[in-house]
C-alpha cells in the first residue's frame, strides 16, 4: 500500500506533520504489535481448544461467534500491516499481510490494499472512492437516480436493510478476493491464490472433521454473519453520511481528509473493538501512524484544526450509526419517489 501522509512544508498539513513528528507519534511501536499479535495467537489457540473439546455440538455456534470476532481483529491487524504501521518495508509488510489476510481469514491482501489505498487518496469522492461506489447500495441522490436492477429495489429502503445486508459481507470479502485474482495487474497472483486455497481447504476440513454437515454449515453461517456485521460496524461510522470533498478542498490534503471523516468517542474498550479506526481523522491524516499512537495524536490534531478554523467531526458510537443511516435513507428518496 502506498502511503498518503506526504508532508509539504508550505501547507497547513506540513505544519501539523512537523508537530506530530516532533511528538514522536510516527515512530514504530514494535512492542505494542508484538503484544497485540501474541494476544490474537493466544485467543486463536483458546478458540481451537474450545472447538475440539465441544465436538459435534450446537454449542459450537458460540465458538463460531468468537471466531468471527477473532477474524475481524485479524482483519484490523492486516489493515495496520498494509499501512506499514508494523513493518517499515513493503516486502515485510506484504509477507505478513498475506499470511494474516489470505491465509488467516481468506481476504485477498493485494485486492484489499489496492482498494483501500484508493479510498485513502479520495475519501467519500463518489467517482474515485471505491467504498462509496454504487453497487447494491447507493451513497448519493445522483447514484440513486442512475441505479438499475437490484440497486433500485434495495436502495429505496437501504437504511433499514443495511445491517441485515452486512451479514453477507464476510462472504463478499471471500468472493471479491477470488474474483480479483483474474486481473492481470494483480501482483503475486499465484501466491495469493495458493494462500487463499489453503485457507478455504483448511477451513472446510476443520469443520467437517469435527462437525456433522448440518452443524458445519450452521457454524460457517454464524461465523460469516457475525464477521460481516462486526466489520461493517467498524467501518460504517467513519465516513458514511459525511460530505463529499468540495471542489476547492480536493487539492488540500488536510481539509480533504478531515472534512470527510468522523471520529467516534469512546474509551479503551472501543479503541480495541474498532481497532483504532474510531480515530479516523488522525488515521487518514497519518495512515502510517501506529494505532497505539492515535489517541495521543488526537488532542494535537483537534487543537490544530480549531487553530486554523477547520471543523473537526466527532460523535458517539450510536449517533455515528444514526447519522450514516439517516444519510442512506435521505439519498434513497429518488427511488422511493419512483424517479
Amino acid at each position: 500500500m502506498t502511503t498518503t501522509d506526504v508532508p509539504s512544508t508550505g501547507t497547513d498539513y506540513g505544519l501539523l506533520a512537523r508537530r506530530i513528528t516532533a511528538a514522536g507519534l510516527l515512530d514504530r511501536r514494535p512492542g505494542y504489535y508484538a503484544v497485540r499479535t501474541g494476544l490474537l495467537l493466544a485467543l486463536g489457540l483458546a478458540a481451537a481448544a474450545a472447538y475440539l473439546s465441544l465436538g459435534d455440538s450446537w454449542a459450537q455456534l458460540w465458538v463460531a461467534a468468537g471466531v468471527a470476532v477473532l477474524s475481524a481483529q485479524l482483519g484490523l491487524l492486516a489493515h495496520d500491516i498494509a499501512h506499514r504501521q508494523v513493518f517499515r518495508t513493503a516486502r515485510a509488510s506484504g509477507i505478513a499481510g498475506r499470511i494474516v489476510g489470505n491465509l488467516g481469514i481468506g481476504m485477498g491482501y493485494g485486492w484489499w490494499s489496492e482498494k483501500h489505498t484508493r479510498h485513502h487518496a479520495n475519501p467519500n469522492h463518489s467517482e474515485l472512492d471505491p467504498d462509496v461506489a454504487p453497487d447494491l447500495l447507493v451513497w448519493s441522490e445522483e447514484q440513486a437516480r442512475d441505479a438499475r436492477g437490484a440497486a433500485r429495489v434495495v436502495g429505496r429502503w437501504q437504511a433499514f436493510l443495511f445491517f441485515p445486508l452486512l451479514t453477507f459481507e464476510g462472504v463478499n470479502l471471500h468472493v471479491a478476493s477470488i474474483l480479483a485474482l483474474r486481473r492481470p495487474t494483480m501482483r503475486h497472483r499465484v501466491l495469493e491464490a495458493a494462500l487463499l486455497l489453503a485457507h478455504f481447504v483448511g477451513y472446510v476440513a476443520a469443520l467437517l472433521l469435527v462437525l456433522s454437515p448440518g452443524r458445519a454449515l450452521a457454524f460457517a453461517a454464524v461465523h460469516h454473519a457475525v464477521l460481516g456485521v462486526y466489520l461493517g460496524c467498524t467501518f460504517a461510522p467513519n465516513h458514511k453520511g459525511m460530505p463529499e470533498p468540495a471542489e476547492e478542498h480536493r487539492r488540500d490534503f488536510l481539509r480533504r481528509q478531515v472534512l470527510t471523516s468522523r471520529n467516534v468517542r469512546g474509551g479503551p474498550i472501543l479503541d480495541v473493538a474498532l481497532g483504532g479506526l474510531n480515530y479516523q481523522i488522525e488515521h487518514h491524516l497519518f495512515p502510517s501512524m501506529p494505532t497505539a499512537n492515535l489517541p495521543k495524536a488526537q488532542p494535537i490534531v483537534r487543537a490544530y484544526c480549531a487553530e486554523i478554523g477547520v471543523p473537526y467531526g466527532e460523535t458517539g458510537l450510536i449517533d455515528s450509526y444514526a447519522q450514516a443511516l439517516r444519510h442512506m435513507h435521505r439519498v434513497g428518496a429518488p427511488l422511493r419517489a419512483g424517479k
Side-chain angles (χ1 to χ4, degrees):
M1 170 176 283
T2 56
T3 184
T4 50
D5 42 330
V6 184
S8 175
T9 56
T11 64
D12 288 333
Y13 178 72
L15 178 56
L16 174 61
R18 289 197 294 274
R19 294 183 185 181
I20 291 292
T21 302
L25 297 177
L26 295 178
D27 295 346
R28 294 291 188 273
R29 295 287 300 271
Y32 163 77
Y33 281 109
V35 170
R36 182 171 164 184
T37 303
L39 288 173
L40 290 177
L41 288 172
L43 290 173
L45 291 173
Y51 177 73
L52 292 173
S53 65
L54 285 173
D56 190 16
S57 164
W58 287 111
Q60 293 281 18
L61 298 186
W62 291 104
V63 178
V67 171
V69 173
L70 177 61
S71 298
Q73 285 292 321
L74 286 172
L76 291 169
L77 178 61
H79 166 271
D80 289 8
I81 292 170
H83 279 297
R84 299 196 196 175
Q85 297 176 20
V86 185
F87 303 101
R88 189 176 303 276
T89 67
R91 177 178 173 79
S93 298
I95 292 171
R98 290 181 177 90
I99 292 173
V100 176
N102 294 57
L103 184 61
I105 60 176
M107 179 188 75
Y109 176 82
W111 158 74
W112 181 85
S113 59
E114 185 273 335
K115 171 178 173 288
H116 196 61
T117 295
R118 289 189 286 128
H119 159 70
H120 266 263
N122 293 281
N124 259 28
H125 192 298
S126 58
E127 297 176 0
L128 300 175
D129 182 356
D131 288 354
V132 291
D135 189 7
L136 196 60
L137 303 175
V138 295
W139 304 105
S140 69
E141 291 188 12
E142 291 76 15
Q143 291 180 355
R145 282 190 283 268
D146 293 338
R148 297 291 181 271
R152 289 194 65 84
V153 178
V154 173
R156 295 174 186 174
W157 307 107
Q158 60 183 9
F160 301 96
L161 296 172
F162 180 66
F163 286 105
L165 286 172
L166 285 181
T167 59
F168 298 98
E169 186 58 27
V171 173
N172 182 54
L173 282 176
H174 295 325
V175 173
S177 298
I178 294 170
L179 293 178
L181 295 173
R182 300 181 303 175
R183 300 176 189 168
T185 56
M186 173 69 70
R187 300 180 63 191
H188 308 294
R189 281 198 297 170
V190 174
L191 175 61
E192 295 231 358
L195 291 173
L196 284 173
L197 180 62
H199 169 83
F200 295 131
V201 170
Y203 183 84
V204 172
L207 291 182
L208 295 180
L209 286 173
V210 174
L211 302 175
S212 64
R215 289 192 178 106
L217 185 61
F219 185 104
V222 170
H223 172 204
H224 287 88
V226 174
L227 172 62
V229 172
Y230 190 146
L231 291 176
C233 289
T234 298
F235 287 93
N238 304 330
H239 299 279
K240 302 300 184 278
M242 297 299 288
E244 185 168 349
E247 187 65 37
E248 64 269 23
H249 295 150
R250 290 182 181 178
R251 294 184 180 273
D252 184 328
F253 181 79
L254 184 143
R255 287 166 178 79
R256 185 168 80 246
Q257 301 297 339
V258 173
L259 296 176
T260 59
S261 302
R262 178 195 295 116
N263 274 19
V264 179
R265 290 189 296 269
I269 294 177
L270 189 67
D271 291 356
V272 172
L274 299 187
L277 296 183
N278 45 317
Y279 301 99
Q280 190 69 187
I281 293 173
E282 289 72 26
H283 171 60
H284 262 255
L285 288 171
F286 303 98
S288 63
M289 180 183 292
T291 292
N293 288 346
L294 293 172
K296 299 176 183 178
Q298 184 183 38
I300 299 174
V301 173
R302 185 164 46 196
Y304 184 74
C305 286
E307 181 182 323
I308 63 174
V310 174
Y312 182 96
E314 188 177 21
T315 188
L317 182 64
I318 301 301
D319 188 53
S320 71
Y321 296 132
Q323 289 184 38
L325 293 174
R326 283 196 297 267
H327 171 77
M328 294 176 70
H329 191 64
R330 183 170 62 252
V331 301
L335 293 172
R336 293 191 297 279
K339 295 182 180 179

